[in-house]
Amino acid sequence: MVFLSLSRWIRSRGPDRYWRVQEVLKHARHFRGRKNRCFRLAVRSVRRAFVFATKARKAKKRIMRTLWISRIAAATREHGMKYPALIHNLLKCQVALNRKVLSDLAITEPRTFKSLASLAKRRREEGFLVALGDKGEPEGIFSRIVHSQ
Amino acid sequence: MTSRGTPSRFLKSVLQNGVGRYVCQLKRLSLVFSKDSANSLGVREFIEDGVVDFARQNPGIVVYVAPEKCSIPKIVAEYLNGTVKEEPVNRKTSEEIRQLIKKLSVQSGLEVIRIRKPFHTDSPSIQGQWHPFVNRSPSLRVQRFVKEKSKLESS
């Protein structure tokens, strides 16, 4: 007597489920807890992780800029000035350095940054002289604007 | 597809290649294809036309041509730092294979993953990196010791 119908009741649901599950789990392997092993929990966590990564690409630019600004502010305060004064006066001296470069200079090239801060300070004082003093030819050297052709 | 979930590396060159002499980082190229099947037609055409010229122009690369029974033809590129890269060339034209081999010959063996910064220096600071005492007066380092004359006089 041979039992034939038993084997017909076992269905193979398809050979590819393992690979489809692994595709999701491979992005969850560095997570904490059961969501790095169990597919049900991993699916939700992986989707959230991707959403956060997408949103963070825009936020990273904002975060980096605030970091640079706080670093430049700290460095200028060491030289007795404030960040808005530095930026505005460097702009008036036509020094077109962006915040990334300024923060890198403040960290790796402290003397260059000191000279930039003193340039901005001098330009500020000349601005005050022009504003408060009598109207005439400004005496300042740094107030003269260079026109590029 | 997260930055922590996918591998990343810093920009570097293999042993400062190019500062002095440039050494081609590709050491071995194996063309694995089948003699009869239709998907290796492009590879066979490339072997007829361009392989010999390529091998002559790049004397530092060893080119192996291996006709064997394989389901899909592939190109195996081995680099000087040990990386092995396999590229399937299934149903590609001879021109596409030429472009692919040119690309492989120009690559170094470093992994093609996200590069964190597009720049790298061994000496980032020339004036000396900032530390909390850079902009403070050196008189902080001076310690004055006063002789206590009054004690000696009293005793």
Side-chain angles (χ1 to χ4, degrees):
Chain A
M1 194 151 162
V2 187
F3 296 100
L4 291 169
S5 44
L6 196 73
S7 55
R8 286 169 214 267
W9 294 335
I10 300 166
R11 298 185 314 160
S12 169
R13 299 285 293 279
D16 299 322
R17 189 190 301 166
Y18 174 77
W19 314 111
R20 273 183 264 132
V21 161
Q22 287 306 304
E23 243 181 55
V24 170
L25 282 176
K26 76 173 182 237
H27 293 294
R29 286 304 178 201
H30 62 285
F31 290 172
R32 197 189 208 200
R34 264 194 276 182
K35 48 188 195 272
N36 62 25
R37 301 184 285 280
C38 310
F39 180 71
R40 228 183 209 212
L41 309 170
V43 166
R44 293 174 217 150
S45 301
V46 164
R47 178 172 273 257
R48 295 194 94 218
F50 287 174
V51 167
F52 293 149
T54 316
K55 284 188 191 165
R57 264 173 247 140
K58 279 197 179 173
K60 183 177 178 180
K61 297 161 179 68
R62 274 179 251 145
I63 291 167
M64 291 303 279
R65 192 172 156 119
T66 45
L67 178 69
W68 296 329
I69 288 171
S70 59
R71 283 183 177 170
I72 296 166
T76 48
R77 273 164 199 264
E78 272 200 335
H79 297 296
M81 261 184 89
K82 289 192 186 169
Y83 169 82
L86 177 88
I87 294 289
H88 189 47
N89 287 296
L90 281 183
L91 208 70
K92 286 197 271 190
C93 295
Q94 294 180 296
V95 174
L97 292 170
N98 61 1
R99 284 141 185 92
K100 173 168 120 180
V101 166
L102 279 172
S103 71
D104 286 338
L105 285 176
I107 296 167
T108 58
E109 248 75 50
R111 286 180 219 161
T112 310
F113 192 83
K114 182 173 182 177
S115 60
L116 283 168
S118 47
L119 170 71
K121 196 183 255 182
R122 176 71 192 140
R123 178 68 185 81
R124 194 170 187 232
E125 283 154 19
E126 282 174 16
F128 289 156
L129 284 172
V130 167
L132 301 168
D134 48 341
K135 283 180 191 174
E137 188 68 31
E139 296 163 6
I141 321 161
F142 295 116
S143 318
R144 290 184 210 152
I145 299 173
V146 179
H147 295 284
S148 58
Q149 275 107 37
Chain B
M1 259 63 86
T2 41
S3 63
R4 281 251 189 100
T6 41
S8 58
R9 63 175 175 95
F10 287 98
L11 181 73
K12 68 181 265 213
S13 59
V14 179
L15 291 177
Q16 281 88 39
N17 195 20
V19 173
R21 166 184 293 208
Y22 170 71
V23 177
C24 182
Q25 292 295 310
L26 180 61
K27 76 178 174 195
R28 207 176 296 136
L29 209 61
S30 322
L31 297 164
V32 175
F33 67 106
S34 102
K35 277 191 284 183
D36 301 312
S37 73
N39 46 22
S40 12
L41 184 67
V43 188
R44 274 176 264 141
E45 281 182 11
F46 175 71
I47 288 166
E48 280 171 35
D49 308 331
V51 142
V52 181
D53 296 328
F54 174 78
R56 283 218 182 99
Q57 279 157 17
N58 308 67
I61 305 177
V62 184
V63 182
Y64 288 97
V65 166
E68 36 182 72
K69 267 191 193 166
C70 55
S71 47
I72 43 157
K74 56 188 177 184
I75 295 178
V76 182
E78 288 171 63
Y79 290 92
L80 287 174
N81 61 356
T83 339
V84 177
K85 214 171 170 204
E86 285 188 13
E87 293 266 346
V89 284
N90 199 11
R91 291 191 169 268
K92 282 210 164 92
T93 58
S94 168
E95 189 53 44
E96 286 173 10
I97 292 171
R98 199 187 305 266
Q99 301 281 356
L100 177 71
I101 285 186
K102 198 174 175 187
K103 185 185 87 162
L104 287 172
S105 67
V106 170
Q107 278 178 348
S108 74
L110 299 164
E111 298 167 296
V112 181
I113 47 178
R114 179 181 71 100
I115 296 179
R116 290 192 192 198
K117 294 190 224 189
F119 40 80
H120 173 78
T121 32
D122 287 323
S123 49
S125 175
I126 296 180
Q127 294 169 4
Q129 225 203 17
W130 182 90
H131 56 80
F133 298 100
V134 158
N135 291 317
R136 295 202 195 161
S137 82
S139 60
L140 290 170
R141 264 182 274 139
V142 176
Q143 173 79 313
R144 292 196 178 278
F145 296 96
V146 179
K147 228 182 197 178
E148 291 185 20
K149 281 185 189 166
S150 53
K151 254 194 180 173
L152 283 168
E153 280 170 8
S154 59
S155 67

PDB file of all heavy atoms in Angstrom, chain A residues 39-70:
ATOM      1  N   PHE A  39      11.480  39.564   9.597  1.00  0.00           N
ATOM      2  CA  PHE A  39      11.115  40.277   8.382  1.00  0.00           C
ATOM      3  C   PHE A  39      10.014  41.292   8.606  1.00  0.00           C
ATOM      4  O   PHE A  39      10.062  42.413   8.115  1.00  0.00           O
ATOM      5  CB  PHE A  39      10.688  39.276   7.311  1.00  0.00           C
ATOM      6  CG  PHE A  39      10.287  39.933   6.028  1.00  0.00           C
ATOM      7  CD1 PHE A  39      11.228  40.520   5.203  1.00  0.00           C
ATOM      8  CD2 PHE A  39       8.954  39.973   5.650  1.00  0.00           C
ATOM      9  CE1 PHE A  39      10.851  41.145   4.033  1.00  0.00           C
ATOM     10  CE2 PHE A  39       8.570  40.587   4.474  1.00  0.00           C
ATOM     11  CZ  PHE A  39       9.525  41.174   3.653  1.00  0.00           C
ATOM     12  N   ARG A  40       9.005  40.893   9.374  1.00  0.00           N
ATOM     13  CA  ARG A  40       7.849  41.769   9.604  1.00  0.00           C
ATOM     14  C   ARG A  40       8.253  43.108  10.211  1.00  0.00           C
ATOM     15  O   ARG A  40       7.814  44.164   9.789  1.00  0.00           O
ATOM     16  CB  ARG A  40       6.947  41.070  10.605  1.00  0.00           C
ATOM     17  CG  ARG A  40       5.553  41.045  10.223  1.00  0.00           C
ATOM     18  CD  ARG A  40       4.762  40.403  11.287  1.00  0.00           C
ATOM     19  NE  ARG A  40       3.635  39.793  10.660  1.00  0.00           N
ATOM     20  CZ  ARG A  40       2.448  39.668  11.246  1.00  0.00           C
ATOM     21  NH1 ARG A  40       2.296  40.048  12.476  1.00  0.00           N
ATOM     22  NH2 ARG A  40       1.459  39.131  10.604  1.00  0.00           N
ATOM     23  N   LEU A  41       9.112  43.030  11.247  1.00  0.00           N
ATOM     24  CA  LEU A  41       9.574  44.248  11.902  1.00  0.00           C
ATOM     25  C   LEU A  41      10.566  44.986  11.014  1.00  0.00           C
ATOM     26  O   LEU A  41      10.607  46.214  10.984  1.00  0.00           O
ATOM     27  CB  LEU A  41      10.220  43.914  13.244  1.00  0.00           C
ATOM     28  CG  LEU A  41       9.391  43.035  14.172  1.00  0.00           C
ATOM     29  CD1 LEU A  41      10.239  42.596  15.344  1.00  0.00           C
ATOM     30  CD2 LEU A  41       8.172  43.769  14.654  1.00  0.00           C
ATOM     31  N   ALA A  42      11.379  44.201  10.281  1.00  0.00           N
ATOM     32  CA  ALA A  42      12.419  44.818   9.460  1.00  0.00           C
ATOM     33  C   ALA A  42      11.823  45.644   8.335  1.00  0.00           C
ATOM     34  O   ALA A  42      12.350  46.707   7.990  1.00  0.00           O
ATOM     35  CB  ALA A  42      13.332  43.748   8.876  1.00  0.00           C
ATOM     36  N   VAL A  43      10.712  45.176   7.749  1.00  0.00           N
ATOM     37  CA  VAL A  43      10.124  45.903   6.614  1.00  0.00           C
ATOM     38  C   VAL A  43       9.783  47.321   7.022  1.00  0.00           C
ATOM     39  O   VAL A  43      10.117  48.291   6.330  1.00  0.00           O
ATOM     40  CB  VAL A  43       8.858  45.179   6.114  1.00  0.00           C
ATOM     41  CG1 VAL A  43       8.073  46.066   5.194  1.00  0.00           C
ATOM     42  CG2 VAL A  43       9.240  43.924   5.382  1.00  0.00           C
ATOM     43  N   ARG A  44       9.138  47.451   8.190  1.00  0.00           N
ATOM     44  CA  ARG A  44       8.761  48.794   8.639  1.00  0.00           C
ATOM     45  C   ARG A  44       9.986  49.635   8.928  1.00  0.00           C
ATOM     46  O   ARG A  44      10.064  50.803   8.537  1.00  0.00           O
ATOM     47  CB  ARG A  44       7.932  48.691   9.923  1.00  0.00           C
ATOM     48  CG  ARG A  44       6.586  48.042   9.711  1.00  0.00           C
ATOM     49  CD  ARG A  44       5.886  47.840  11.027  1.00  0.00           C
ATOM     50  NE  ARG A  44       5.153  46.593  11.040  1.00  0.00           N
ATOM     51  CZ  ARG A  44       4.922  45.873  12.131  1.00  0.00           C
ATOM     52  NH1 ARG A  44       5.378  46.258  13.298  1.00  0.00           N
ATOM     53  NH2 ARG A  44       4.238  44.758  12.043  1.00  0.00           N
ATOM     54  N   SER A  45      10.984  49.038   9.621  1.00  0.00           N
ATOM     55  CA  SER A  45      12.165  49.818   9.997  1.00  0.00           C
ATOM     56  C   SER A  45      12.972  50.243   8.791  1.00  0.00           C
ATOM     57  O   SER A  45      13.493  51.359   8.743  1.00  0.00           O
ATOM     58  CB  SER A  45      13.057  48.995  10.915  1.00  0.00           C
ATOM     59  OG  SER A  45      12.358  48.622  12.051  1.00  0.00           O
ATOM     60  N   VAL A  46      13.052  49.363   7.790  1.00  0.00           N
ATOM     61  CA  VAL A  46      13.847  49.695   6.601  1.00  0.00           C
ATOM     62  C   VAL A  46      13.179  50.822   5.832  1.00  0.00           C
ATOM     63  O   VAL A  46      13.843  51.754   5.353  1.00  0.00           O
ATOM     64  CB  VAL A  46      14.035  48.438   5.728  1.00  0.00           C
ATOM     65  CG1 VAL A  46      14.492  48.795   4.345  1.00  0.00           C
ATOM     66  CG2 VAL A  46      15.032  47.504   6.377  1.00  0.00           C
ATOM     67  N   ARG A  47      11.850  50.749   5.723  1.00  0.00           N
ATOM     68  CA  ARG A  47      11.144  51.821   5.005  1.00  0.00           C
ATOM     69  C   ARG A  47      11.363  53.165   5.712  1.00  0.00           C
ATOM     70  O   ARG A  47      11.638  54.180   5.076  1.00  0.00           O
ATOM     71  CB  ARG A  47       9.655  51.496   4.942  1.00  0.00           C
ATOM     72  CG  ARG A  47       8.834  52.573   4.262  1.00  0.00           C
ATOM     73  CD  ARG A  47       7.420  52.100   4.065  1.00  0.00           C
ATOM     74  NE  ARG A  47       7.297  51.363   2.819  1.00  0.00           N
ATOM     75  CZ  ARG A  47       6.760  51.857   1.716  1.00  0.00           C
ATOM     76  NH1 ARG A  47       6.289  53.077   1.713  1.00  0.00           N
ATOM     77  NH2 ARG A  47       6.683  51.135   0.636  1.00  0.00           N
ATOM     78  N   ARG A  48      11.276  53.166   7.053  1.00  0.00           N
ATOM     79  CA  ARG A  48      11.492  54.422   7.794  1.00  0.00           C
ATOM     80  C   ARG A  48      12.920  54.915   7.605  1.00  0.00           C
ATOM     81  O   ARG A  48      13.156  56.116   7.463  1.00  0.00           O
ATOM     82  CB  ARG A  48      11.240  54.199   9.280  1.00  0.00           C
ATOM     83  CG  ARG A  48       9.803  53.860   9.551  1.00  0.00           C
ATOM     84  CD  ARG A  48       9.486  53.974  11.003  1.00  0.00           C
ATOM     85  NE  ARG A  48       8.946  55.283  11.287  1.00  0.00           N
ATOM     86  CZ  ARG A  48       9.208  55.977  12.378  1.00  0.00           C
ATOM     87  NH1 ARG A  48      10.011  55.503  13.299  1.00  0.00           N
ATOM     88  NH2 ARG A  48       8.655  57.152  12.571  1.00  0.00           N
ATOM     89  N   ALA A  49      13.860  53.963   7.619  1.00  0.00           N
ATOM     90  CA  ALA A  49      15.260  54.364   7.443  1.00  0.00           C
ATOM     91  C   ALA A  49      15.472  55.045   6.109  1.00  0.00           C
ATOM     92  O   ALA A  49      16.164  56.070   6.008  1.00  0.00           O
ATOM     93  CB  ALA A  49      16.161  53.137   7.560  1.00  0.00           C
ATOM     94  N   PHE A  50      14.845  54.511   5.038  1.00  0.00           N
ATOM     95  CA  PHE A  50      14.994  55.113   3.712  1.00  0.00           C
ATOM     96  C   PHE A  50      14.348  56.484   3.670  1.00  0.00           C
ATOM     97  O   PHE A  50      14.882  57.426   3.070  1.00  0.00           O
ATOM     98  CB  PHE A  50      14.368  54.211   2.631  1.00  0.00           C
ATOM     99  CG  PHE A  50      15.163  52.982   2.344  1.00  0.00           C
ATOM    100  CD1 PHE A  50      14.659  52.020   1.483  1.00  0.00           C
ATOM    101  CD2 PHE A  50      16.403  52.753   2.915  1.00  0.00           C
ATOM    102  CE1 PHE A  50      15.377  50.864   1.198  1.00  0.00           C
ATOM    103  CE2 PHE A  50      17.129  51.615   2.644  1.00  0.00           C
ATOM    104  CZ  PHE A  50      16.601  50.667   1.780  1.00  0.00           C
ATOM    105  N   VAL A  51      13.200  56.614   4.328  1.00  0.00           N
ATOM    106  CA  VAL A  51      12.517  57.915   4.339  1.00  0.00           C
ATOM    107  C   VAL A  51      13.377  58.945   5.073  1.00  0.00           C
ATOM    108  O   VAL A  51      13.550  60.082   4.615  1.00  0.00           O
ATOM    109  CB  VAL A  51      11.132  57.773   5.006  1.00  0.00           C
ATOM    110  CG1 VAL A  51      10.542  59.138   5.304  1.00  0.00           C
ATOM    111  CG2 VAL A  51      10.200  57.006   4.104  1.00  0.00           C
ATOM    112  N   PHE A  52      13.936  58.542   6.219  1.00  0.00           N
ATOM    113  CA  PHE A  52      14.800  59.465   6.951  1.00  0.00           C
ATOM    114  C   PHE A  52      16.009  59.861   6.115  1.00  0.00           C
ATOM    115  O   PHE A  52      16.437  61.017   6.127  1.00  0.00           O
ATOM    116  CB  PHE A  52      15.279  58.830   8.264  1.00  0.00           C
ATOM    117  CG  PHE A  52      14.197  58.600   9.268  1.00  0.00           C
ATOM    118  CD1 PHE A  52      14.271  57.551  10.152  1.00  0.00           C
ATOM    119  CD2 PHE A  52      13.095  59.443   9.334  1.00  0.00           C
ATOM    120  CE1 PHE A  52      13.286  57.325  11.086  1.00  0.00           C
ATOM    121  CE2 PHE A  52      12.100  59.217  10.263  1.00  0.00           C
ATOM    122  CZ  PHE A  52      12.192  58.163  11.145  1.00  0.00           C
ATOM    123  N   ALA A  53      16.588  58.870   5.386  1.00  0.00           N
ATOM    124  CA  ALA A  53      17.757  59.172   4.561  1.00  0.00           C
ATOM    125  C   ALA A  53      17.410  60.179   3.482  1.00  0.00           C
ATOM    126  O   ALA A  53      18.182  61.110   3.197  1.00  0.00           O
ATOM    127  CB  ALA A  53      18.297  57.889   3.938  1.00  0.00           C
ATOM    128  N   THR A  54      16.216  60.026   2.869  1.00  0.00           N
ATOM    129  CA  THR A  54      15.807  60.970   1.824  1.00  0.00           C
ATOM    130  C   THR A  54      15.634  62.372   2.395  1.00  0.00           C
ATOM    131  O   THR A  54      16.109  63.355   1.819  1.00  0.00           O
ATOM    132  CB  THR A  54      14.469  60.519   1.209  1.00  0.00           C
ATOM    133  OG1 THR A  54      14.530  59.117   1.002  1.00  0.00           O
ATOM    134  CG2 THR A  54      14.221  61.198  -0.105  1.00  0.00           C
ATOM    135  N   LYS A  55      14.954  62.458   3.550  1.00  0.00           N
ATOM    136  CA  LYS A  55      14.721  63.794   4.127  1.00  0.00           C
ATOM    137  C   LYS A  55      16.035  64.410   4.578  1.00  0.00           C
ATOM    138  O   LYS A  55      16.216  65.626   4.513  1.00  0.00           O
ATOM    139  CB  LYS A  55      13.785  63.667   5.323  1.00  0.00           C
ATOM    140  CG  LYS A  55      12.347  63.442   4.948  1.00  0.00           C
ATOM    141  CD  LYS A  55      11.444  63.510   6.168  1.00  0.00           C
ATOM    142  CE  LYS A  55      10.061  63.012   5.800  1.00  0.00           C
ATOM    143  NZ  LYS A  55       9.246  62.731   6.996  1.00  0.00           N
ATOM    144  N   ALA A  56      16.957  63.578   5.073  1.00  0.00           N
ATOM    145  CA  ALA A  56      18.180  64.109   5.655  1.00  0.00           C
ATOM    146  C   ALA A  56      19.101  64.724   4.620  1.00  0.00           C
ATOM    147  O   ALA A  56      19.947  65.550   4.969  1.00  0.00           O
ATOM    148  CB  ALA A  56      18.927  63.000   6.387  1.00  0.00           C
ATOM    149  N   ARG A  57      18.929  64.355   3.349  1.00  0.00           N
ATOM    150  CA  ARG A  57      19.813  64.922   2.327  1.00  0.00           C
ATOM    151  C   ARG A  57      19.639  66.431   2.236  1.00  0.00           C
ATOM    152  O   ARG A  57      20.608  67.155   2.035  1.00  0.00           O
ATOM    153  CB  ARG A  57      19.525  64.282   0.960  1.00  0.00           C
ATOM    154  CG  ARG A  57      20.459  63.144   0.644  1.00  0.00           C
ATOM    155  CD  ARG A  57      20.078  62.419  -0.616  1.00  0.00           C
ATOM    156  NE  ARG A  57      19.645  61.073  -0.293  1.00  0.00           N
ATOM    157  CZ  ARG A  57      18.636  60.446  -0.863  1.00  0.00           C
ATOM    158  NH1 ARG A  57      17.911  61.044  -1.775  1.00  0.00           N
ATOM    159  NH2 ARG A  57      18.314  59.230  -0.509  1.00  0.00           N
ATOM    160  N   LYS A  58      18.374  66.899   2.389  1.00  0.00           N
ATOM    161  CA  LYS A  58      18.161  68.360   2.399  1.00  0.00           C
ATOM    162  C   LYS A  58      18.614  68.952   3.731  1.00  0.00           C
ATOM    163  O   LYS A  58      19.190  70.032   3.777  1.00  0.00           O
ATOM    164  CB  LYS A  58      16.673  68.663   2.213  1.00  0.00           C
ATOM    165  CG  LYS A  58      16.205  68.610   0.795  1.00  0.00           C
ATOM    166  CD  LYS A  58      14.866  69.314   0.634  1.00  0.00           C
ATOM    167  CE  LYS A  58      14.442  69.272  -0.809  1.00  0.00           C
ATOM    168  NZ  LYS A  58      13.085  69.795  -0.994  1.00  0.00           N
ATOM    169  N   ALA A  59      18.323  68.222   4.832  1.00  0.00           N
ATOM    170  CA  ALA A  59      18.640  68.766   6.149  1.00  0.00           C
ATOM    171  C   ALA A  59      20.146  68.830   6.377  1.00  0.00           C
ATOM    172  O   ALA A  59      20.625  69.692   7.117  1.00  0.00           O
ATOM    173  CB  ALA A  59      18.000  67.906   7.231  1.00  0.00           C
ATOM    174  N   LYS A  60      20.901  67.925   5.734  1.00  0.00           N
ATOM    175  CA  LYS A  60      22.354  67.904   5.945  1.00  0.00           C
ATOM    176  C   LYS A  60      22.975  69.228   5.544  1.00  0.00           C
ATOM    177  O   LYS A  60      23.869  69.736   6.225  1.00  0.00           O
ATOM    178  CB  LYS A  60      22.972  66.759   5.126  1.00  0.00           C
ATOM    179  CG  LYS A  60      24.470  66.622   5.344  1.00  0.00           C
ATOM    180  CD  LYS A  60      25.019  65.435   4.572  1.00  0.00           C
ATOM    181  CE  LYS A  60      26.508  65.334   4.758  1.00  0.00           C
ATOM    182  NZ  LYS A  60      27.111  64.220   4.036  1.00  0.00           N
ATOM    183  N   LYS A  61      22.465  69.788   4.435  1.00  0.00           N
ATOM    184  CA  LYS A  61      23.035  71.057   3.979  1.00  0.00           C
ATOM    185  C   LYS A  61      22.802  72.144   5.019  1.00  0.00           C
ATOM    186  O   LYS A  61      23.677  72.961   5.303  1.00  0.00           O
ATOM    187  CB  LYS A  61      22.419  71.447   2.622  1.00  0.00           C
ATOM    188  CG  LYS A  61      22.744  70.439   1.534  1.00  0.00           C
ATOM    189  CD  LYS A  61      21.794  70.540   0.347  1.00  0.00           C
ATOM    190  CE  LYS A  61      22.100  69.575  -0.755  1.00  0.00           C
ATOM    191  NZ  LYS A  61      21.889  68.148  -0.456  1.00  0.00           N
ATOM    192  N   ARG A  62      21.578  72.122   5.605  1.00  0.00           N
ATOM    193  CA  ARG A  62      21.273  73.130   6.632  1.00  0.00           C
ATOM    194  C   ARG A  62      22.146  72.922   7.852  1.00  0.00           C
ATOM    195  O   ARG A  62      22.673  73.885   8.433  1.00  0.00           O
ATOM    196  CB  ARG A  62      19.802  72.991   7.052  1.00  0.00           C
ATOM    197  CG  ARG A  62      18.822  73.748   6.184  1.00  0.00           C
ATOM    198  CD  ARG A  62      17.412  73.515   6.665  1.00  0.00           C
ATOM    199  NE  ARG A  62      16.671  72.682   5.740  1.00  0.00           N
ATOM    200  CZ  ARG A  62      15.748  71.793   6.098  1.00  0.00           C
ATOM    201  NH1 ARG A  62      15.462  71.594   7.361  1.00  0.00           N
ATOM    202  NH2 ARG A  62      15.119  71.090   5.188  1.00  0.00           N
ATOM    203  N   ILE A  63      22.284  71.632   8.261  1.00  0.00           N
ATOM    204  CA  ILE A  63      23.030  71.329   9.489  1.00  0.00           C
ATOM    205  C   ILE A  63      24.485  71.743   9.337  1.00  0.00           C
ATOM    206  O   ILE A  63      25.081  72.353  10.234  1.00  0.00           O
ATOM    207  CB  ILE A  63      22.916  69.820   9.806  1.00  0.00           C
ATOM    208  CG1 ILE A  63      21.494  69.469  10.234  1.00  0.00           C
ATOM    209  CG2 ILE A  63      23.887  69.429  10.895  1.00  0.00           C
ATOM    210  CD1 ILE A  63      21.220  67.993  10.272  1.00  0.00           C
ATOM    211  N   MET A  64      25.063  71.405   8.155  1.00  0.00           N
ATOM    212  CA  MET A  64      26.471  71.747   7.941  1.00  0.00           C
ATOM    213  C   MET A  64      26.671  73.247   7.997  1.00  0.00           C
ATOM    214  O   MET A  64      27.649  73.741   8.570  1.00  0.00           O
ATOM    215  CB  MET A  64      26.941  71.204   6.591  1.00  0.00           C
ATOM    216  CG  MET A  64      27.035  69.696   6.509  1.00  0.00           C
ATOM    217  SD  MET A  64      28.103  68.990   7.742  1.00  0.00           S
ATOM    218  CE  MET A  64      29.674  69.244   7.010  1.00  0.00           C
ATOM    219  N   ARG A  65      25.732  74.004   7.389  1.00  0.00           N
ATOM    220  CA  ARG A  65      25.888  75.463   7.377  1.00  0.00           C
ATOM    221  C   ARG A  65      25.819  76.027   8.793  1.00  0.00           C
ATOM    222  O   ARG A  65      26.612  76.907   9.161  1.00  0.00           O
ATOM    223  CB  ARG A  65      24.807  76.097   6.500  1.00  0.00           C
ATOM    224  CG  ARG A  65      25.104  77.559   6.227  1.00  0.00           C
ATOM    225  CD  ARG A  65      24.156  78.138   5.222  1.00  0.00           C
ATOM    226  NE  ARG A  65      24.071  79.569   5.368  1.00  0.00           N
ATOM    227  CZ  ARG A  65      24.406  80.443   4.419  1.00  0.00           C
ATOM    228  NH1 ARG A  65      24.873  80.014   3.269  1.00  0.00           N
ATOM    229  NH2 ARG A  65      24.289  81.736   4.623  1.00  0.00           N
ATOM    230  N   THR A  66      24.891  75.523   9.621  1.00  0.00           N
ATOM    231  CA  THR A  66      24.826  76.031  10.998  1.00  0.00           C
ATOM    232  C   THR A  66      26.095  75.661  11.765  1.00  0.00           C
ATOM    233  O   THR A  66      26.578  76.437  12.599  1.00  0.00           O
ATOM    234  CB  THR A  66      23.606  75.472  11.758  1.00  0.00           C
ATOM    235  OG1 THR A  66      23.519  74.084  11.511  1.00  0.00           O
ATOM    236  CG2 THR A  66      22.341  76.156  11.340  1.00  0.00           C
ATOM    237  N   LEU A  67      26.653  74.490  11.472  1.00  0.00           N
ATOM    238  CA  LEU A  67      27.904  74.098  12.135  1.00  0.00           C
ATOM    239  C   LEU A  67      29.029  75.054  11.767  1.00  0.00           C
ATOM    240  O   LEU A  67      29.776  75.529  12.639  1.00  0.00           O
ATOM    241  CB  LEU A  67      28.263  72.665  11.724  1.00  0.00           C
ATOM    242  CG  LEU A  67      29.557  72.119  12.295  1.00  0.00           C
ATOM    243  CD1 LEU A  67      29.434  71.902  13.767  1.00  0.00           C
ATOM    244  CD2 LEU A  67      29.961  70.825  11.619  1.00  0.00           C
ATOM    245  N   TRP A  68      29.138  75.358  10.460  1.00  0.00           N
ATOM    246  CA  TRP A  68      30.187  76.284  10.029  1.00  0.00           C
ATOM    247  C   TRP A  68      30.007  77.633  10.694  1.00  0.00           C
ATOM    248  O   TRP A  68      30.979  78.240  11.155  1.00  0.00           O
ATOM    249  CB  TRP A  68      30.152  76.460   8.501  1.00  0.00           C
ATOM    250  CG  TRP A  68      30.444  75.231   7.718  1.00  0.00           C
ATOM    251  CD1 TRP A  68      31.260  74.207   8.072  1.00  0.00           C
ATOM    252  CD2 TRP A  68      29.908  74.887   6.436  1.00  0.00           C
ATOM    253  NE1 TRP A  68      31.257  73.256   7.091  1.00  0.00           N
ATOM    254  CE2 TRP A  68      30.459  73.645   6.076  1.00  0.00           C
ATOM    255  CE3 TRP A  68      29.013  75.508   5.560  1.00  0.00           C
ATOM    256  CZ2 TRP A  68      30.139  73.010   4.871  1.00  0.00           C
ATOM    257  CZ3 TRP A  68      28.715  74.878   4.373  1.00  0.00           C
ATOM    258  CH2 TRP A  68      29.264  73.643   4.037  1.00  0.00           C
ATOM    259  N   ILE A  69      28.740  78.105  10.735  1.00  0.00           N
ATOM    260  CA  ILE A  69      28.489  79.437  11.300  1.00  0.00           C
ATOM    261  C   ILE A  69      28.866  79.470  12.772  1.00  0.00           C
ATOM    262  O   ILE A  69      29.496  80.422  13.250  1.00  0.00           O
ATOM    263  CB  ILE A  69      27.014  79.833  11.089  1.00  0.00           C
ATOM    264  CG1 ILE A  69      26.770  80.147   9.617  1.00  0.00           C
ATOM    265  CG2 ILE A  69      26.652  81.038  11.939  1.00  0.00           C
ATOM    266  CD1 ILE A  69      25.323  80.348   9.263  1.00  0.00           C
ATOM    267  N   SER A  70      28.523  78.409  13.518  1.00  0.00           N
ATOM    268  CA  SER A  70      28.846  78.431  14.956  1.00  0.00           C
ATOM    269  C   SER A  70      30.351  78.379  15.155  1.00  0.00           C
ATOM    270  O   SER A  70      30.896  79.023  16.068  1.00  0.00           O
ATOM    271  CB  SER A  70      28.150  77.291  15.692  1.00  0.00           C
ATOM    272  OG  SER A  70      28.522  76.054  15.166  1.00  0.00           O
TER     273      SER A  70
END
